């Protein structure tokens, strides 16, 4: 891979992970409003890409005090993945140098 391709990969992965973090943060806010209709726009744009991650996680991580904490866990996981891959000393960042 050329340095140019690695930089494009770095930007693409970083952008994807930032968007996923943002979507999970919106899901955290949506848990405060259980009456939200998940099938209607704009909520379906947030729920559709995050639900494949959250549904299996809910089987492993039970709600605490009736509050679904899986979006919070996924914000941490995505942040860790972002740091490992594209952080200052991330794998893709080091390959670009």
């Amino acid at each position: 891979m050329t340095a140019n391709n690695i930089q494009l990969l770095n930007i693409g992965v970083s952008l994807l992970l930032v968007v996923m973090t943002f979507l999970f943060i919106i899901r955290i806010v949506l848990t405060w409003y259980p009456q939200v209709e998940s099938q209607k726009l704009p909520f379906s744009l947030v729920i559709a890409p995050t639900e494949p991650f959250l549904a299996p996680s809910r089987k492993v991580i039970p709600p605490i005090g009736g509050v679904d904490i899986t979006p919070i866990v996924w914000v941490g996981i995505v942040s860790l993945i972002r740091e490992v891959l594209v952080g200052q000393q991330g794998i893709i960042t080091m390959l670009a140098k």
Side-chain angles (χ1 to χ4, degrees):
M1 285 185 113
T2 65
N4 211 11
N5 288 344
I6 293 175
Q7 285 180 334
L8 286 175
L9 177 66
N10 192 356
I11 292 169
V13 169
S14 181
L15 183 62
L16 174 70
L17 294 173
V18 166
V19 167
M20 287 306 292
T21 301
F22 184 68
L23 290 175
F24 283 122
I25 290 172
I26 294 173
R27 280 300 295 260
I28 292 169
V29 173
L30 287 177
T31 61
W32 301 338
Y33 303 99
Q35 72 276 10
V36 168
E37 294 183 34
S38 62
Q39 302 302 322
K40 294 193 176 188
L41 287 173
F43 306 115
S44 62
L45 295 174
V46 174
I47 292 172
T50 56
E51 193 60 28
F53 297 98
L54 297 176
S57 302
R58 287 188 191 110
K59 294 176 184 173
V60 177
I61 304 168
I64 296 177
V67 177
D68 181 18
I69 62 164
T70 54
I72 299 168
V73 171
W74 274 101
V75 167
I77 291 170
V78 172
S79 297
L80 176 66
I81 291 170
R82 184 171 184 267
E83 189 62 34
V84 167
L85 293 178
V86 294
Q88 248 181 347
Q89 295 180 341
I91 295 169
I92 298 173
T93 304
M94 296 303 279
L95 288 173
K97 292 182 179 179

